[in-house]
């Protein structure tokens, strides 16, 4: 049996189904599996409705009532077997092993509806999925105790034989546009050729799908890591994605689960090794930006901000307009092909009456009004029964493909930003325990555009991976806002209520001025909290006051106010800087490369705090002449306190 050590990763293997016969077989497999899954879903939903209507038996003994109505995993698996026995035409694309796994996926939905999760919430009534949302056929895991036991989808061959089969004389790795169909004279367990996904036990014969590996040299180490040891191959799911550029409109992949840790690039290993483990960082999450501040035992304050630039906002607005135009084109196409299912708009009705009164010939309209509905508000004809043109289907697939591509790009960007932040601030971070769902109700569009939740999740994963690599504790800990109130406190300990539209912090006690988010993130770096218990968070004001006595802390926080000079208020006013800082030489013994402060970087006056920077005319003029991402223009030695990361 393979030693898993709890490490699991998944690699996506593209499949070549360009052949018409092979593509039709795969389409039949998905079609038969969808029909079986839909039948089990309908049966499970009717059982759930009957269970909730039976108040007497449900209150007396819920477990017995669930067994009575067949709301168990075994009952749904038996229902799938009964459907397969009653429909022998499905045996050509769906075996009983696949039917059991499809029933298990339906039971997962039912289980989430019947039983509450850790937060006390239950999912809604189980739904019957549509054809376009059905994208995964689950496979069965490989047995690591019995040899040659792997039902449903199996991966055969080796990555070395795959490279040898498609290697040319110059040593390059080239795969043809149409992969050859492999054949095996004996058993597939004895096959040692290019990688293929095989499935036996179907009524129409075995299904063999060639695998197309990425040929780029940068991907070969990743492939060797996951495919080098066949004993660690565990499970395969067959997945499809809508792609109008592919024959048939679908792109197929095999998702292979491997009992091995995820692959890590050498650059990521070096970055995690160099991460400062002795720093303590705080994170302030906003609708439009994320600010991270860290210190090393109260000294060497570093503040970073993640926000969107003006050109990025313009690009996002351009993409949003493109999506709206595509959706409008799809809506016009649907209306033109189904004019009887829509009403005329008010303007079209007025024009029609005017033409009738003037005796003009009738005009054919593409209706622009609402859908024809019944008295209960439901459409007269279901949308799935509409007549759709071929261009409509291609356009719909293009919209789905672009949406998936945008989602992948945002996840990759969040991962890169998280890597840069952890490399600068270390793996120990604290963030306020906020409810992003409540924010979405008020700032839904801005929150979706910036996606701070995705960035926080990537930051937590990177922090934990960095901590594990260095053998220390780490991650993103959540602190309750009731016990800390970071946005209402100053580092000196003074508490003053600030409205949400006030984005600048100005303490009347000590005179500290700074960006509200930067001050909150700095305070979060002085919060102590037990792992997994946000309500135990406490703010160490004594350490925060000691850190305020350092000249660098006062000066750096004071300079953060330049990011909100033109903010109109409320959290939908987005910041306008995501540029990388200019390269600078790191100082010896410092975790983050920032030059030390000089004695002349601050001037003391009787009316000022001992570390408050001077506001003389020549300093103000020098500050106005500086850039957002360059060095401070006043002395030429201090690096900017906010390093914007894109």
């Amino acid at each position: 049996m393979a030693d898993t050590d709890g490490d699991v990763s998944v690699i996506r293997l593209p499949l070549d189904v360009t052949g018409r016969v092979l593509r039709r077989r795969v389409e039949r497999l998905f079609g038969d599996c969808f029909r079986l899954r839909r039948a089990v879903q309908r049966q499970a939903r009717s059982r759930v409705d009957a269970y909730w209507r039976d108040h007497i038996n449900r209150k007396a003994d819920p477990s017995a009532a669930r067994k009575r109505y067949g709301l168990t995993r075994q009952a749904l698996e038996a229902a799938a077997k009964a459907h397969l026995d009653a429909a022998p035409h499905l045996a050509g694309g769906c075996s009983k092993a696949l039917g059991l796994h499809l029933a298990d996926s339906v039971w997962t939905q039912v289980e989430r509806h019947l039983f509450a999760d850790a937060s006390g919430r239950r999912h809604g009534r189980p739904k019957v999925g549509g054809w376009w949302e059905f994208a995964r056929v689950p496979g069965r895991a490989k047995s690591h105790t019995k040899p040659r036991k792997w039902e449903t989808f199996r991966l055969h061959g080796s990555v070395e034989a795959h490279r040898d089969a498609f290697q040319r004389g110059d040593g390059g790795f080239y795969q043809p546009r149409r992969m050859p169909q492999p054949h095996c004279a004996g058993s597939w367990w004895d096959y040692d050729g290019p990688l293929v996904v095989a499935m036996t036990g179907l009524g129409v014969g075995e299904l063999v799908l060639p695998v197309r590996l990425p040929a780029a040299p940068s991907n070969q180490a990743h492939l060797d890591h996951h495919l080098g040891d066949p004993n660690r191959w565990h499970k395969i799911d067959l997945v499809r994605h809508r792609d109008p550029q592919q024959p048939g409109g679908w792109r197929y992949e095999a998702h292979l689960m491997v009992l091995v840790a995820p692959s890590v690039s050498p650059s990521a290993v070096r970055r995690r090794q160099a991460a400062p483990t002795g720093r303590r960082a705080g994170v302030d999450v906003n609708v439009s930006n994320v600010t991270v501040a860290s210190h090393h035992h109260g000294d060497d304050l570093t503040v970073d901000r993640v926000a969107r630039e003006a050109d990025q906002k313009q690009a996002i607005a351009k993409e949003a307009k493109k999506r709206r135009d595509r959706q409008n084109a799809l809506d016009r196409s649907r209306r033109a092909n189904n004019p009887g299912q829509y009403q005329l708009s008010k303007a079209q009705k007025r024009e029609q009456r005017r033409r009738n009164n003037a005796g003009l010939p009738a005009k054919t309209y593409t209706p622009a009004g609402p859908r024809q509905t019944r008295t209960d508000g439901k459409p007269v004809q279901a949308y799935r029964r509409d007549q759709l043109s071929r261009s409509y289907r291609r356009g719909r697939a293009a919209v789905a493909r672009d949406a998936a591509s945008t989602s992948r790009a945002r996840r990759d960007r969040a991962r890169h930003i998280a890597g840069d932040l952890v490399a600068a601030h270390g793996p120990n971070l604290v963030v306020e325990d906020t409810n992003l769902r409540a924010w979405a109700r008020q700032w839904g569009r801005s929150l979706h555009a910036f996606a701070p939740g995705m960035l926080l999740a990537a930051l937590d994963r990177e922090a934990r991976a960095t901590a594990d690599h260095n053998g220390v504790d780490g991650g993103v800990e959540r602190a309750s806002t009731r016990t800390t109130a970071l946005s209402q406190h100053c580092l000196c300990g003074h508490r003053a209520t600030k409205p949400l539209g006030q984005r600048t912090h100005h303490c009347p006690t000590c005179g500290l001025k700074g960006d509200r988010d930067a001050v909150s993130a700095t305070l979060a770096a002085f919060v102590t909290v037990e792992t997994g218990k946000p309500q135990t968070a406490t703010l160490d004001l004594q350490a925060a006051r000691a850190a305020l006595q350092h000249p660098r802390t006062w000066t750096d926080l004071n300079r953060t106010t330049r990011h909100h000079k033109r903010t109109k208020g409320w959290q939908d006013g987005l910041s306008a800087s995501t540029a990388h800082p200019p390269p600078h030489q790191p100082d010896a013994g410092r975790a983050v490369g920032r030059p030390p402060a000089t004695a002349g970087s601050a001037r003391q006056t009787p009316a000022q705090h001992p570390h408050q920077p001077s506001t003389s005319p020549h300093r103000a003029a020098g500050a106005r002449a500086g850039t957002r991402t360059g060095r401070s223009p006043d002395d030429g030695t201090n690096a900017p306190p906010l390093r914007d990361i894109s």
Side-chain angles (χ1 to χ4, degrees), residues 356-571:
N356 292 337
N357 296 334
L360 298 176
K363 181 181 178 180
T364 303
Y365 297 94
T366 298
R371 183 89 173 184
Q372 297 282 1
T373 58
R374 304 181 306 195
T375 56
D376 57 356
K378 295 184 178 180
V380 175
Q381 177 178 288
Y383 283 92
R384 66 177 182 272
R385 301 190 182 280
D386 287 352
Q387 297 293 329
L388 303 178
S389 63
R390 185 174 299 177
S391 61
Y392 180 92
R393 299 182 186 276
R394 288 197 300 265
R396 183 173 58 182
V399 169
R401 180 197 57 188
D402 293 346
S405 177
T406 302
S407 179
R408 288 194 300 269
R410 297 178 72 177
R411 288 196 300 268
D412 291 342
R413 182 175 181 271
R415 179 169 53 84
H416 287 297
I417 292 175
D420 294 337
L421 290 175
V422 174
H425 299 276
N428 299 308
L429 301 103
V430 177
V431 64
E432 285 187 322
D433 189 18
T434 56
N435 189 358
L436 296 181
R437 293 184 178 181
W439 290 9
R441 288 192 289 268
Q442 187 167 2
W443 301 292
R445 186 171 299 178
S446 299
L447 190 71
H448 175 73
F450 185 66
M454 182 182 298
L455 180 58
L456 273 182
L459 194 63
D460 183 54
R461 289 192 298 268
E462 180 64 24
R464 295 183 184 277
T466 302
D468 293 342
H469 183 82
N470 293 289
V472 298
D473 295 333
V476 177
E477 296 294 340
R478 296 185 176 271
S480 174
T481 57
R482 293 182 177 270
T483 58
T484 56
L486 301 179
S487 61
Q488 311 299 326
H489 275 97
C490 179
L491 270 72
C492 67
H494 176 75
R495 177 168 181 171
T497 303
K498 294 191 289 288
L500 194 57
Q502 182 181 344
R503 307 312 303 169
T504 303
H505 172 86
H506 186 192
C507 181
T509 302
C510 65
L512 175 65
K513 290 184 179 180
D515 173 43
R516 172 175 175 162
D517 301 332
V519 175
S520 298
T522 305
L523 284 171
F526 294 96
V527 171
T528 58
V529 58
E530 294 183 16
T531 303
K533 297 180 180 180
Q535 65 276 7
T536 62
T538 57
L539 178 59
D540 190 355
L541 289 175
Q542 183 177 359
R545 293 190 189 99
L548 188 60
Q549 301 304 316
H550 292 279
R552 295 280 312 207
T553 303
W554 183 278
T555 304
D556 290 354
L557 288 178
N558 185 271
R559 290 175 183 170
T560 59
T561 56
R562 62 186 180 183
H563 286 263
H564 284 285
K565 289 183 178 180
R566 294 182 294 275
T567 300
K568 299 180 181 179
W570 294 98
Q571 294 195 18

Side-chain angles (χ1 to χ4, degrees), residues 122-323:
R122 294 189 296 107
H123 285 231
R125 181 186 181 216
K127 297 181 179 180
V128 179
W131 166 253
W132 302 104
E133 291 78 21
F134 182 69
R136 180 182 295 269
V137 177
R140 176 163 290 187
K142 177 183 178 181
S143 175
H144 297 278
T145 57
K146 298 181 180 180
R148 297 191 175 188
K149 184 174 179 58
W150 194 0
E151 299 180 4
T152 64
F153 308 112
R154 307 193 305 263
L155 182 65
H156 295 288
S158 62
V159 64
E160 296 82 3
H162 195 99
R163 292 196 184 104
D164 294 340
F166 301 104
Q167 189 173 11
R168 294 185 180 178
D170 56 354
F173 179 35
Y174 304 97
Q175 297 174 100
R177 177 173 297 181
R178 183 171 179 175
M179 299 289 289
Q181 186 70 17
H183 298 280
C184 181
S187 173
W188 282 106
W189 295 104
D190 301 326
Y191 173 79
D192 188 17
L195 291 172
V196 295
V197 174
M199 179 181 178
T200 59
L202 296 177
V204 293
E206 61 184 17
L207 178 64
V208 181
L209 304 175
V211 175
R212 181 184 297 274
L213 294 180
S218 58
N219 292 325
Q220 302 311 308
H222 178 73
L223 296 176
D224 292 335
H225 177 80
H226 290 92
L227 303 177
D229 187 3
N231 294 325
R232 292 186 177 269
W233 299 349
H234 184 62
K235 180 177 178 292
I236 290 181
D237 291 348
L238 200 61
V239 182
R240 64 175 186 173
H241 303 279
R242 298 172 64 182
D243 190 350
Q245 305 300 328
Q246 296 294 330
W250 295 95
R251 175 169 47 87
Y252 297 92
E253 293 177 347
H255 288 192
L256 173 65
M257 182 182 295
V258 189
L259 303 180
V260 67
S263 176
V264 182
S265 63
S267 60
V269 172
R270 292 191 297 268
R271 183 185 69 237
R272 292 172 180 175
Q273 288 177 347
T277 58
R279 298 184 69 88
R280 184 71 175 175
V283 185
D284 182 84
V285 181
N286 203 333
V287 174
S288 58
N289 60 75
V290 172
T291 305
V292 183
S294 65
H295 63 87
H296 183 71
H297 300 295
D299 194 10
D300 189 21
L301 178 66
T302 303
V303 183
D304 286 344
R305 172 187 296 269
V306 180
R308 292 186 299 166
E309 257 184 351
D311 56 346
Q312 292 178 333
K313 292 188 288 185
Q314 294 177 0
I316 291 174
K318 185 177 179 180
E319 289 296 328
K321 183 180 182 302
K322 183 178 179 180
R323 288 195 300 269

Side-chain angles (χ1 to χ4, degrees), residues 602-620:
R603 191 182 307 175
Q604 179 179 344
T605 61
Q608 291 176 326
H609 188 276
H611 304 305
Q612 184 173 356
S614 172
T615 55
S616 59
H618 69 275
R619 286 179 60 88

